[in-house]
Amino acid sequence: MNLDKIYIPTLGRVDNQITYNTLPDFLKEITYLVIQDQELSDIKKNYPEANLIRLPNEIKGIAKTREYIIRLAGKTIFAMFDDDMEFIRRNVNRKTLKKVGDKSQTPMTEDDWKEMIEKVETWLNGEYVIGGMRMQGLPPRDYDDIEFGKIAQVFFINGNKIKPNKIKWDIQFSEDIYFILQVLSQGGKTIMTDKFLYTHPNGYFSEGGCSNEGRTVDSDTHTIREVANRFPHIIKFTNDHYDRDGELSQKYIVNWKKAYKTTEYNEFDKWK
């Protein structure tokens, strides 16, 4: 089974589709911008060549939008990308962890994307349920692929291997973490690449997207605490501190591997 579609949920960026603009043409052909009704005419005007999916009016917020996409995609292999990302290839010798060539990181090319998609299809046609990319800025590992790493903002999903009715979407932010923990606890394996990376060129809290829906450092802190309440002993908090804007921030560590098949923490068993 091959990659069927790429879905990009988007809000507040009708004239600045960074992720879409970054993709090569062969991927744009299978990419769909998932938009709210009030932005339909502007997106059509600014991106007349793009495939569009209009969200039903009752679907609001990123968590419910992700749920809608997963249900819409059904039993296919598909991707779900945030709308404000660029993609990087890491050029490193895995034994020495030193750069290969002139630059340790370069923008992904069409050939890089073909390699990435081939990797994804191998993963998801094999033992893995969800794949992802690592965030730029993290130090390289001594191997290309990482099981049970943090997958967020870039998702490759085999819809044949998840059960949407067993995934809960009632936490608005930190929804990426909550989603992956639920899949892991139900026995779905995850994997991510350290060779191909994503970055937010305008910053994590740039205008548009979840920032338009109220996402702040403070809201992320409160929602990750709620996720931790539902998965005790999986998320460990390390400190509290206030950032430059006076908002509470909290560092934490997620033991992704420990969450795998941890039926005692399986939230679905508590609310089905």
Side-chain angles (χ1 to χ4, degrees):
M1 179 180 289
N2 296 324
L3 183 68
D4 183 63
K5 291 182 178 67
I6 298 171
Y7 300 91
I8 302 178
T10 183
L11 177 66
R13 296 178 175 129
V14 296
D15 57 355
N16 192 24
Q17 289 295 312
I18 297 175
T19 302
Y20 181 81
N21 291 339
T22 302
L23 295 176
D25 288 343
F26 85 97
L27 287 181
K28 285 181 179 177
E29 292 176 0
I30 62 168
T31 296
Y32 290 75
L33 303 178
V34 182
I35 60 177
Q36 293 188 13
D37 191 58
Q38 71 271 17
E39 296 191 341
L40 180 61
S41 60
D42 287 334
I43 289 284
K44 281 184 174 181
K45 177 182 176 181
N46 294 333
Y47 294 90
E49 77 287 355
N51 302 308
L52 306 179
I53 294 174
R54 184 185 65 81
L55 279 171
N57 290 330
E58 66 271 16
I59 303 297
K60 302 293 183 183
I62 186 58
K64 291 298 183 182
T65 299
R66 293 203 190 284
E67 178 184 20
Y68 177 81
I69 290 170
I70 287 171
R71 292 183 180 277
L72 179 68
K75 296 184 178 300
T76 64
I77 288 180
F78 64 98
M80 181 167 51
F81 295 167
D82 282 9
D83 65 352
D84 59 342
M85 298 183 300
E86 292 178 351
F87 302 93
I88 308 295
R89 177 193 176 104
R90 195 195 293 277
N91 305 306
V92 66
N93 183 306
R94 293 295 176 182
K95 292 183 179 180
T96 65
L97 299 183
K98 296 187 180 298
K99 69 178 180 180
V100 176
D102 294 334
K103 296 183 178 180
S104 61
Q105 296 182 3
T106 50
M108 282 181 68
T109 65
E110 181 170 327
D111 286 342
D112 289 333
W113 272 108
K114 288 178 179 178
E115 181 181 341
M116 180 64 205
I117 298 305
E118 183 177 350
K119 179 191 290 284
V120 164
E121 291 170 355
T122 299
W123 286 343
L124 301 186
N125 284 314
E127 62 181 313
Y128 299 101
V129 176
I130 298 177
M133 293 176 167
R134 204 157 180 238
M135 183 184 293
Q136 185 196 34
L138 297 173
R141 298 287 186 90
D142 56 359
Y143 42 86
D144 277 354
D145 298 333
I146 304 168
E147 287 188 331
F148 305 114
K150 180 182 179 180
I151 296 178
Q153 299 158 73
V154 176
F155 301 91
F156 298 95
I157 301 171
N158 189 333
N160 294 279
K161 298 180 179 180
I162 63 173
K163 298 178 180 179
N165 290 338
K166 288 193 174 185
I167 305 296
K168 201 171 183 182
W169 297 95
D170 63 327
I171 296 179
Q172 171 65 350
F173 304 125
S174 303
E175 82 290 341
D176 291 359
I177 294 172
Y178 189 30
F179 169 52
I180 295 297
L181 287 176
Q182 289 179 86
V183 171
L184 286 169
S185 73
Q186 295 165 21
K189 291 188 73 173
T190 63
I191 190 168
M192 63 193 306
T193 175
D194 188 54
K195 184 174 183 177
F196 300 112
L197 315 171
Y198 72 90
T199 183
H200 293 276
N202 291 338
Y204 187 65
F205 289 103
S206 61
E207 184 178 354
C210 291
S211 295
N212 282 22
E213 296 176 336
R215 171 171 262 164
T216 62
V217 174
D218 188 59
S219 69
D220 276 0
T221 297
H222 287 293
T223 52
I224 194 60
R225 285 174 170 171
E226 178 62 24
V227 176
N229 287 338
R230 301 186 186 194
F231 284 88
H233 311 301
I234 299 299
I235 299 176
K236 178 182 178 181
F237 294 102
T238 58
N239 76 314
D240 291 331
H241 73 276
Y242 287 86
D243 66 13
R244 288 179 299 178
D245 296 323
E247 292 186 306
L248 177 65
S249 182
Q250 193 164 54
K251 292 184 178 181
Y252 57 90
I253 298 171
V254 182
N255 192 330
W256 303 99
K257 189 172 183 179
K258 186 176 180 180
Y260 180 56
K261 291 186 177 180
T262 52
T263 53
E264 66 267 37
Y265 306 132
N266 189 338
E267 272 299 299
F268 177 70
D269 289 338
K270 300 176 183 178
W271 57 264
K272 66 181 177 181

